[in-house]
Amino acid sequence: MQSQTEYKAKPFAKIKEDKFVIETDTVVFKNEIKELLFSDTDVEVILDKIKVDRNFIVGEKKSEYYFVIIYDTKHHLKVVKWLNRVNDSLYFTEKVGGRDLFEQTYQICIGKSNCEPNVFILEGKKIWGCGDSPVCLIEVTKDSCKSYKTVATE
């Protein structure tokens, strides 16, 4: 288990009675994400919904993971980022080291059907993808779902 010092001082969310309670100002957070990821786009992105959720990694190792997901419902856009659990608190990873920047990656999925973000194991490493099949990781073009990744560090 990683130490809490690798994460931001304040948790993004907490788990209380099996429910997620976001501890961060969501309006400020959505505006920061919009500026960070979409300030240079021609389409006006309106991030109108945010939630913390859990899912299971797709594939052989079905371990549970936590993430934040931010939506632009009009454009069928979803932005996700990994959250690490320390006791009942959920944190973004602060420490950037080595070559694997998975926990700092923002996954963007745009599409109506079979376009939900998921985590897969590829060559022993976690990787974000859009859709429920590992095929989505290697397809170059996909009409129903577009997938983008970016790493943004402070």
Side-chain angles (χ1 to χ4, degrees):
M1 183 178 229
Q2 294 162 310
S3 68
Q4 187 172 341
T5 58
E6 294 181 25
Y7 308 114
K8 291 189 180 257
K10 183 179 177 198
F12 181 80
K14 291 190 176 182
I15 303 169
K16 296 180 181 175
E17 298 176 8
D18 286 332
K19 294 185 180 173
F20 300 109
V21 178
I22 297 176
E23 300 282 310
T24 301
D25 183 327
T26 58
V27 173
V28 170
F29 182 73
K30 289 187 291 187
N31 286 336
E32 288 172 352
I33 296 300
K34 180 179 174 180
E35 180 64 28
L36 185 68
L37 302 178
F38 303 106
S39 61
D40 293 335
T41 61
D42 295 334
V43 177
E44 183 177 356
V45 172
I46 299 172
L47 300 173
D48 53 358
K49 182 179 172 185
I50 185 171
K51 74 175 184 173
V52 171
D53 209 346
R54 79 180 102 206
N55 203 350
F56 290 89
I57 293 175
V58 178
E60 295 175 18
K61 186 180 177 185
K62 293 188 181 280
S63 58
E64 186 175 64
Y65 67 94
Y66 299 87
F67 59 97
V68 61
I69 183 165
I70 309 126
Y71 300 87
D72 176 332
T73 52
K74 179 181 177 184
H75 296 106
H76 308 284
L77 180 143
K78 298 162 235 43
V79 177
V80 295
K81 189 171 183 189
W82 182 272
L83 289 167
N84 282 291
R85 182 175 181 172
V86 177
N87 299 317
D88 286 333
S89 297
L90 299 170
Y91 296 87
F92 291 118
T93 300
E94 184 73 5
K95 185 177 178 181
V96 177
R99 295 175 137 182
D100 185 5
L101 296 174
F102 170 78
E103 293 181 8
Q104 289 78 25
T105 300
Y106 290 90
Q107 173 68 47
I108 303 165
C109 301
I110 305 171
K112 293 181 184 180
S113 63
N114 192 23
C115 198
E116 293 302 312
N118 279 298
V119 175
F120 300 86
I121 300 292
L122 183 65
E123 297 178 358
K125 294 187 177 187
K126 293 182 291 236
I127 185 168
W128 284 108
C130 300
D132 56 12
S133 169
V135 172
C136 71
L137 301 174
I138 55 175
E139 285 186 3
V140 177
T141 60
K142 194 173 182 184
D143 294 333
S144 63
C145 184
K146 303 290 183 206
S147 175
Y148 305 92
K149 290 177 183 52
T150 189
V151 174
T153 58
E154 294 179 0

